[in-house]
Amino acid sequence: LYIGILLCGFSCARNAPCLHPGDLLFQVGETSEMTGAITAATGKERQLNYSHVGIAVRSRGVDSVLEATSDGGVRVTALGDFLARSARIDGRPAVTVMRLRDTTGVAAAIERARKFIGQPYDYSFRPDNGKMYCSELVWESYLAPDGSRRFPARPMNFRTADGRLPQFWIDHFAAMDQPIPEGVPGTNPQDMSREKFLKIVYRYWK
């Protein structure tokens, strides 16, 4: 019992999870044009449509989330602030905590992720450009023992379920004078949340 208390530290509170460093927090973001466009392209009916993911860390003794956000790039955010900006289900944050079934290498993944702090947000959703979007941060940081990435990259899709390309994406990439990277290998929170090597450890919304 005492060992368990020491391991969890301040992470364990009544009716709250015992977050472990390296846990992934999948979030349904507050409504925005980008959030809507992301979930329309990657979500499915009758389940949460995750538009964001962050990595649980401890920062100055406080539960925090290492994440890449459109308003701050790669940064460490207090857990309370992360939860506060989530969408709500019956008044509770629409955030699901998942953990790797095999946590080998998770500490190293956190250290890799910390090296990206300060990088700007990747509005173009392309790899290896010195910028980072949320699931790209996880993809770059979590490696298997052989050095390969734990999370697979798949051809990106920006279309809705009926094949329509939202005007948001047309305008978004036109403003950067870039083609829409349809089919370019990439990641998204929704696909990541479905990986079989993850397990759900807590739902803030239940």
Side-chain angles (χ1 to χ4, degrees):
L1 175 61
Y2 294 125
I3 293 174
I5 292 172
L6 288 172
L7 285 175
C8 291
F10 293 104
S11 300
C12 294
R14 188 175 182 180
N15 299 321
C18 181
L19 288 179
H20 291 190
D23 285 352
L24 298 177
L25 286 80
F26 290 90
Q27 180 187 68
V28 180
E30 291 181 314
T31 302
S32 71
E33 280 192 279
M34 179 173 285
T35 295
I38 290 172
T39 56
T42 64
K44 289 188 175 181
E45 294 181 0
R46 294 185 296 278
Q47 66 178 204
L48 292 187
N49 295 339
Y50 299 114
S51 60
H52 186 60
V53 60
I55 303 167
V57 296
R58 296 282 286 174
S59 179
R60 298 179 181 178
V62 177
D63 281 338
S64 304
V65 182
L66 181 52
E67 58 177 345
T69 69
S70 59
D71 63 350
V74 181
R75 66 183 185 183
V76 176
T77 303
L79 176 61
D81 293 338
F82 181 90
L83 298 175
R85 68 165 195 265
S86 301
R88 289 294 191 269
I89 300 175
D90 295 330
R92 301 183 183 93
V95 173
T96 301
V97 182
M98 297 189 185
R99 184 172 299 153
L100 274 70
R101 297 181 188 276
D102 178 4
T103 58
T104 304
V106 166
I110 294 172
E111 290 307 305
R112 278 189 291 272
R114 287 187 181 277
K115 292 178 181 178
F116 293 112
I117 292 175
Q119 281 199 4
Y121 188 76
D122 187 4
Y123 287 98
S124 63
F125 301 101
R126 285 176 167 80
D128 303 321
N129 61 357
K131 302 176 182 179
M132 199 71 62
Y133 59 91
C134 68
S135 56
E136 184 183 13
L137 176 64
V138 176
W139 181 73
E140 288 278 12
S141 302
Y142 285 71
L143 303 181
D146 64 359
S148 63
R149 291 181 171 85
R150 290 205 186 200
F151 291 88
R154 298 183 174 92
M156 288 190 288
N157 170 60
F158 290 84
R159 297 181 181 275
T160 59
D162 61 4
R164 180 178 54 85
L165 188 62
Q167 189 64 42
F168 173 83
W169 292 126
I170 296 172
D171 296 340
H172 176 81
F173 287 100
M176 296 186 292
D177 195 26
Q178 294 182 7
I180 297 173
E182 183 79 12
V184 174
T187 60
N188 66 73
Q190 192 73 2
D191 280 350
M192 280 188 168
S193 71
R194 300 187 186 116
E195 296 296 342
K196 299 300 184 183
F197 55 79
L198 294 177
K199 62 180 179 180
I200 296 173
V201 295
Y202 190 76
R203 297 178 177 92
Y204 281 94
W205 44 278
K206 285 192 172 184

